[in-house]
């Protein structure tokens, strides 16, 4: 059950105007485009970032390439194709693939597509290193198969391997929650996501949001 929040704690999910998208209406009083939650103007932040992204450094190139891919291919190209378009526009030649072991088949198809499109690639599977979960303090009862060797996911090693390969852009293919966070943290190259892990919904996590008032209504129930 939602509770009414005071203005200081209102943010973008409390908005119903979204004037930031088109500037065709009025900004609500709590809009983060006009001020932060302490009432301070963020105009200086906006101007600083705008000027920063007018440059020719990597962040600026990425910002413009992202906008170009969105504007030119909106509703026309798949995520796979958008990643290829993005990689081309930022000058990425070598693509790293950080894949879940459970999606290695999908990663192989993606690798084939990259090759056909003239892009080099290098992949690292999540179980690389074959370190048992118990070796980092995971209890046996917290394994899927207690009493057996069960390799932990090793996103830091995945990142290091792709760093050693000097990849220009790394693509996540189904890394687990948290493992994707560590991979992104330790990756030298930019990271984008092709597949988000969700075993229950067939890797379509937004399905839980679409059905939060029906099949997954437990999501809106307070934990007892």
């Amino acid at each position: 059950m939602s509770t009414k929040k005071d203005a200081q704690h209102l943010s973008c999910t409390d908005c119903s105007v979204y004037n930031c998208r088109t500037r065709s209406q009025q900004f609500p009083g709590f809009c983060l485009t006009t001020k932060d939650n302490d009432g301070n103007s963020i105009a200086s932040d906006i101007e600083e970032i705008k000027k920063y992204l007018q440059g020719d450094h990597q962040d600026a190139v990425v910002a413009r390439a992202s906008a170009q891919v969105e504007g030119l291919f909106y509703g026309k190209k798949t995520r796979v194709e958008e990643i290829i378009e993005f990689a081309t526009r930022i000058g990425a030649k070598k693509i790293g693939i950080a894949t879940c072991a459970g999606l290695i088949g999908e990663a192989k198809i993606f690798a084939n597509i990259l090759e056909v499109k003239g892009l080099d690639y290098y992949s690292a599977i999540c179980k690389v290193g074959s370190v048992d979960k118990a070796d980092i303090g995971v209890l046996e009862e917290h394994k899927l198969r207690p009493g057996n060797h069960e390799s932990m996911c090793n996103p830091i090693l995945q990142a290091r391997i792709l760093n050693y390969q000097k990849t220009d852009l790394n693509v996540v293919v189904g890394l687990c929650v948290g493992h994707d966070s560590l991979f992104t943290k330790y990756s030298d190259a930019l990271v984008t996501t092709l597949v988000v892990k969700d075993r229950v919904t067939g890797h379509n996590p937004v399905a839980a949001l679409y059905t939060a008032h029906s099949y997954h209504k437990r999501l809106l129930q307070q934990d007892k």
Side-chain angles (χ1 to χ4, degrees):
M1 179 179 294
S2 62
T3 57
K4 188 175 181 179
K5 296 192 288 187
D6 57 57
Q8 188 177 3
H9 295 94
L10 296 175
S11 60
C12 296
T13 49
D14 299 298
C15 183
S16 60
V17 180
Y18 318 117
N19 191 45
C20 56
R21 301 176 65 180
T22 61
R23 294 209 175 194
S24 59
Q25 303 181 65
Q26 294 295 316
F27 291 112
F30 63 86
C31 184
L32 302 184
T33 294
T34 59
K35 59 186 178 182
D36 62 23
N37 283 342
D38 291 325
N40 302 314
S41 172
I42 63 167
S44 60
D45 295 278
I46 294 171
E47 286 303 312
E48 177 189 349
I49 294 169
K50 183 169 68 175
K51 290 179 180 178
Y52 176 64
L53 295 180
Q54 291 170 358
D56 57 4
H57 48 83
Q58 185 190 51
D59 290 352
V61 171
V62 167
R64 291 193 292 269
S66 303
Q68 290 165 358
V69 171
E70 178 190 18
L72 293 172
F73 308 112
Y74 193 95
K76 298 175 182 177
K77 294 201 172 188
T78 64
R79 179 80 177 196
V80 170
E81 293 169 305
E82 286 186 339
I83 288 174
I84 293 169
E85 286 286 348
F86 174 70
T88 301
R89 289 170 185 273
I90 66 171
K93 305 295 184 183
K94 190 171 187 178
I95 310 301
I97 303 174
T99 183
C100 165
L103 284 97
I104 190 65
E106 290 83 349
K108 288 181 177 180
I109 295 171
F110 180 55
N112 291 339
I113 293 171
L114 293 176
E115 190 170 31
V116 167
K117 299 300 181 182
L119 291 168
D120 192 12
Y121 69 88
Y122 200 86
S123 59
I125 199 169
C126 63
K127 301 300 183 181
V128 64
S130 194
V131 177
D132 193 277
K133 292 178 180 179
D135 291 345
I136 63 167
V138 176
L139 300 177
E140 286 295 324
E141 56 263 36
H142 292 163
K143 290 183 176 182
L144 294 173
R145 298 177 298 112
N148 295 281
H149 174 88
E150 193 166 291
S151 294
M152 73 171 196
C153 294
N154 203 333
I156 297 178
L157 184 56
Q158 281 180 292
R160 286 193 181 184
I161 289 171
L162 297 182
N163 292 345
Y164 295 152
Q165 290 293 319
K166 299 186 184 304
T167 52
D168 301 310
L169 174 68
N170 290 332
V171 179
V172 169
V173 180
L175 297 187
C176 299
V177 171
H179 296 145
D180 55 357
S181 303
L182 285 173
F183 176 80
T184 300
K185 180 178 180 178
Y186 288 96
S187 171
D188 286 344
L190 286 171
V191 179
T192 191
T193 300
L194 175 57
V195 182
V196 178
K197 168 70 65 60
D198 191 330
R199 300 174 184 89
V200 173
T201 65
H203 312 306
N204 179 28
V206 76
L209 305 181
Y210 292 147
T211 58
H213 293 283
S214 55
Y215 301 114
H216 291 92
K217 59 184 178 182
R218 69 178 184 276
L219 295 172
L220 292 173
Q221 296 172 347
Q222 292 184 342
D223 293 334
K224 296 180 179 179

